[in-house]
């Protein structure tokens, strides 16, 4: 089970970016996303993608993020530009099957750094939670997420030009 935990979500301001974190998590091979603030609209947006494009991705909003981290049985990783470099840590993390990947939004609570097993930097420059999740999952799965089959109602075939789509 690979789960992403998004903390500091503000439904009005972060609507698009949290949706993108969720869609990237799903597309790049994670099984679930937890979001700290309750947001039914966001749940519906993500579930509608799952319904059309397939897979078994789950979303849960309004969770207590501290409880999720404390209750996580295997390894937890906080993505932060202050952490250890991704390439140095990922071989160790990859030994674990159940990984909780935590990302923030504006400013993350200082205690988070102490609560996780690893603080991991996707480079030491500030960028985006979307990019951080994408690159982390790509390295974790060693690119194999690209071959994942979702068996959805909608299937897209790679095409040189135009759109090749089959809808069930
Ligand atoms: N100044 C903020 C802070 O105190 O962390 C940065 C916020 S950034 C817009 C939102 C989230 O993106 C961060 O909480 C972190 O999870 C992720 N992020 C941004 N840059 C990152 C990096 N270089 N490596 C890993 N994660 C990063």
């Amino acid at each position: 089970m690979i789960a992403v935990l998004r903390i500091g979500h503000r439904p009005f301001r972060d609507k698009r970016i949290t949706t993108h974190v969720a869609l990237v998590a799903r597309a790049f091979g994670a099984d679930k996303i937890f979001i700290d603030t309750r947001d039914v609209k966001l749940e519906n947006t993500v579930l509608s993608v799952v319904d059309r494009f397939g897979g078994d991705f789950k979303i849960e909003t309004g969770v207590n993020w501290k409880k999720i981290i404390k209750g996580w049985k295997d390894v937890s990783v906080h993505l932060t530009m202050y952490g250890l470099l991704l390439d140095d840590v990922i071989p160790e993390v990859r030994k674990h099957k159940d990984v909780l990947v935590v990302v923030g939004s504006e400013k993350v609570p200082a205690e988070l750094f102490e609560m996780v097993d690893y603080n991991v930097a996707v480079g030491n420059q500030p960028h985006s939670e979307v990019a951080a999740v994408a690159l982390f999952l790509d390295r974790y799965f060693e690119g194999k997420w690209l071959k994942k089959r979702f068996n959805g109602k909608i299937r897209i075939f790679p095409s040189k030009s135009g759109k090749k789509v089959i809808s069930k």
Side-chain angles (χ1 to χ4, degrees):
M1 151 76 76
I2 308 296
V4 171
L5 167 63
R6 159 83 151 148
I7 66 172
H9 169 64
R10 297 152 301 175
F12 184 69
R13 282 190 59 179
D14 300 326
K15 186 171 160 315
R16 270 174 61 81
I17 197 121
T18 306
T19 304
H20 290 177
V21 173
L23 295 182
V24 163
R26 171 186 171 272
F28 285 61
D31 304 287
K32 178 162 187 169
I33 188 163
F34 296 104
I35 291 152
D36 58 351
T37 314
R38 179 117 172 97
D39 190 336
V40 175
K41 261 191 170 175
L42 177 65
E43 286 180 11
N44 290 337
T45 303
V46 171
L47 292 178
S48 148
V49 171
V50 175
D51 179 52
R52 287 175 291 136
F53 288 88
D56 192 26
F57 189 74
K58 304 268 192 305
I59 178 165
E60 193 177 339
T61 71
V63 302
N64 179 324
W65 65 269
K66 288 185 191 176
K67 273 193 185 160
I68 300 287
I69 297 175
K70 284 181 185 156
W72 193 259
K73 297 277 185 283
D74 202 348
V75 75
S76 57
V77 175
H78 167 217
L79 300 181
T80 166
M81 65 179 173
Y82 303 104
L84 297 172
L85 284 173
L86 177 61
D87 285 357
D88 296 337
V89 180
I90 203 73
E92 275 305 307
V93 176
R94 213 184 276 122
K95 290 178 186 163
H96 299 264
K97 283 222 162 2
D98 294 324
V99 185
L100 181 68
V101 185
V102 187
V103 286
S105 50
E106 274 283 278
K107 201 171 173 1
V108 299
E111 61 190 308
L112 173 60
F113 286 81
E114 306 298 326
M115 290 173 69
V116 293
D117 298 307
Y118 295 97
N119 289 289
V120 175
V122 181
N124 295 121
Q125 299 298 316
H127 48 78
S128 148
E129 48 274 51
V130 180
V133 168
L135 279 160
F136 177 86
L137 292 175
D138 181 62
R139 293 288 206 286
Y140 178 84
F141 288 117
E142 300 178 288
K144 294 185 188 82
W145 62 272
L146 268 167
K147 297 243 174 354
K148 183 171 172 166
R149 298 289 289 267
F150 288 85
N151 300 316
K153 292 178 195 161
I154 300 176
R155 183 153 173 218
I156 296 168
F157 292 88
S159 164
K160 194 175 171 195
S161 63
K163 299 178 184 176
K164 252 192 208 167
V165 182
I166 289 188
S167 301
K168 280 187 204 160

